[in-house]
Amino acid sequence: FYTTLCLWVGALLLTVLLTTASHNADFKFTPVEEYFGKYYLFGLCAILQGLIASAGDIIVLGVKPQHSILFIMLGMLYSAAFMAIVYTFVALLGNIGKALGIIFLVVQLGGAGGTFPIQVTPLFFQRIYKFLPFTYAISGMREAIAGIYRPVIIKDIVIICLFLAGALIIGSLLKEKANRFLHKYSKQLGDSGVIGH
């Protein structure tokens, strides 16, 4: 649970530290090219983060998974998927996307079954449980640590890959419209002095 949590928080922090827009390119590019070009950087950082976090669990914290390589590979996959989701929020919606990433994090803390069994959580969380990426990430990590039951690990990996692909597809389809919509308001918001960055 905490490894999964740190991967999502790392994705959020990266979108705070780095911009999702290209400002200094000396050539023309489309919004979709900008979206994927920036995601290559964010995705690479996310994969490195997943490697360091999961390998750190084993080397530094002394976690002894049944399948260490799988544990590390899952950490890298989950980090890339979480980054795709958070990056898409921020690339499409700017600062509003950062807020959505935090809200989504808070919902997943209670609703993914990481802290308490999902059966003892409020009915709201029991209903959204199957729609949260944390649910499948935590389940996959448990499989790598305690031993693999193939139908479960395959399902977890496939669903996380669907989250990853879904985020990238939505981002590529909506990036141009989001740029046009946000362009109208970003200058006024910047001039207001209410927000920075």
Side-chain angles (χ1 to χ4, degrees):
F1 172 72
Y2 287 107
T3 301
T4 303
L5 174 62
C6 95
L7 297 177
W8 188 279
V9 171
L12 277 171
L13 289 175
L14 198 59
T15 60
V16 170
L17 293 172
L18 303 177
T19 179
T20 59
S22 296
H23 297 294
N24 55 358
D26 57 356
F27 55 89
K28 293 204 171 205
F29 51 85
T30 67
V32 174
E33 289 169 342
E34 177 187 45
Y35 174 81
F36 281 110
K38 279 292 199 169
Y39 180 72
Y40 291 143
L41 171 63
F42 280 85
L44 178 61
C45 290
I47 290 168
L48 290 173
Q49 173 189 272
L51 172 64
I52 292 167
S54 53
D57 284 346
I58 297 168
I59 296 165
V60 178
L61 299 179
V63 174
K64 293 181 173 42
Q66 292 287 319
H67 305 278
S68 299
I69 301 298
L70 176 63
F71 184 78
I72 292 170
M73 297 298 286
L74 288 175
M76 294 164 69
L77 171 65
Y78 297 158
S79 190
F82 295 166
M83 180 53 73
I85 295 166
V86 174
Y87 170 78
T88 299
F89 283 156
V90 177
L92 295 182
L93 302 171
N95 286 315
I96 297 168
K98 294 173 190 173
L100 282 175
I102 293 169
I103 291 167
F104 204 33
L105 168 65
V106 171
V107 169
Q108 292 186 101
L109 288 176
T115 50
F116 297 101
I118 195 64
Q119 294 81 3
V120 301
T121 60
L123 187 59
F124 170 74
F125 290 133
Q126 293 181 37
R127 287 187 175 159
I128 65 168
Y129 172 75
K130 292 186 176 181
F131 303 103
L132 302 175
F134 270 31
T135 300
Y136 305 98
I138 292 168
S139 174
M141 290 283 192
R142 286 178 179 154
E143 292 292 309
I145 289 173
I148 293 175
Y149 179 58
R150 282 186 192 277
V152 171
I153 191 70
I154 290 170
K155 179 178 116 180
D156 294 337
I157 290 171
V158 166
I159 292 176
I160 287 291
C161 288
L162 289 174
F163 275 112
L164 176 100
L168 294 177
I169 290 168
I170 289 168
S172 63
L173 292 176
L174 298 181
K175 178 65 173 156
E176 189 170 354
K177 290 179 183 175
N179 278 7
R180 272 185 272 139
F181 176 76
L182 288 178
H183 183 70
K184 294 177 186 177
Y185 303 103
S186 60
K187 186 175 185 324
Q188 293 173 345
L189 193 58
D191 291 342
S192 72
V194 174
I195 62 168
H197 184 47

